[in-house]
Amino acid sequence: MIVGLTGGIGSGKTTVAHFFVELGVPVYNSDEEAKQLMVASKHVKKAIIELLGKKAYKGKKLNKKYISAQIFNDVSLLEKMNEIVHPAVKKDFLAWAKRQKAPYVIQETALIFENSKQDFYDFVILVTAPLSTRIERVIQRDGSSKNDVLNRLQNQLDDKEKIPLSDYVLENIELSKTRLKVEEIHKALLDNS
């Protein structure tokens, strides 16, 4: 069974994913794996350089600030970047999922609903948090400016639009409550597997 774990930037998807890992659930972090593929896959790297130029890389590493500045201020570049990275991540995820020996696996990914990918999953878990909390978290985590965070938020649907499309909604404000909700969802998923 394949479960999607999603939520807007700063909602705490990764924190929730760690709680599932603690329960023995295999979790695939799409953002981290995408960054790996953008460096390790010759095909992906070549396509990114064709799209954004050689400045997209500093030596063998991604130039994340440069890439973010390009794609989050230009919708067509963002779409083209997604057309390069998303198919590579999907292929990698499916190969990874086949190797797992668990009743279900989770793919942690930010843009399930924005990319109309919800039908790919057996269940979707949405992580939410108040907007002000999310902005604060991202500024602290990345050292981003408030403006940068707001620009990135423009590429994501509002939680109000995502909630009716989700199977489970988990509000991530207080960690102890979040952990309990994760355990509750885990039990429900095991019952459905």
Side-chain angles (χ1 to χ4, degrees), residues 58-73:
K58 284 182 177 174
K60 292 186 188 279
K61 292 185 176 174
L62 279 178
N63 185 345
K64 292 178 200 164
K65 274 201 165 152
Y66 173 79
I67 292 171
S68 292
Q70 301 304 305
I71 65 174
F72 291 119
N73 294 312

Side-chain angles (χ1 to χ4, degrees), residues 28-161:
Y28 181 96
N29 182 319
S30 296
D31 279 354
E32 290 304 313
E33 297 302 329
K35 288 172 191 157
Q36 294 289 329
L37 289 166
M38 289 164 78
V39 173
S41 166
K42 288 177 185 169
H43 169 74
V44 172
K45 189 173 180 179
K46 182 176 181 256
I48 290 170
I49 290 170
E50 285 173 12
L51 179 67
L52 300 174
K54 289 183 178 167
K55 282 186 183 175
Y57 292 87
K58 284 182 177 174
K60 292 186 188 279
K61 292 185 176 174
L62 279 178
N63 185 345
K64 292 178 200 164
K65 274 201 165 152
Y66 173 79
I67 292 171
S68 292
Q70 301 304 305
I71 65 174
F72 291 119
N73 294 312
D74 183 332
V75 176
S76 72
L77 272 183
L78 177 61
E79 287 171 1
K80 287 174 185 165
M81 183 69 143
N82 287 342
E83 287 168 13
I84 295 167
V85 178
H86 289 180
V89 169
K90 184 176 181 181
K91 183 179 174 189
D92 189 62
F93 168 73
L94 289 171
W96 172 88
K98 279 184 183 169
R99 295 190 303 267
Q100 305 312 308
K101 305 280 185 250
Y104 71 95
V105 298
I106 291 178
Q107 182 177 23
E108 178 189 341
T109 183
L111 304 174
I112 290 176
F113 301 115
E114 290 81 352
N115 294 328
S116 301
K117 300 292 185 203
Q118 59 268 30
D119 293 340
F120 173 74
Y121 302 95
D122 296 296
F123 295 95
V124 175
I125 302 165
L126 173 65
V127 182
T128 66
L131 188 59
S132 58
T133 303
R134 292 169 51 199
I135 292 168
E136 200 176 294
R137 285 174 180 168
V138 177
I139 290 170
Q140 286 179 348
R141 181 188 72 198
D142 300 347
S144 301
S145 70
K146 186 174 181 177
N147 222 26
D148 285 343
V149 179
L150 292 172
N151 278 342
R152 289 162 74 182
L153 281 165
Q154 287 178 347
N155 297 305
Q156 298 183 347
L157 289 175
D158 191 89
D159 284 346
K160 283 185 224 107
E161 295 174 70

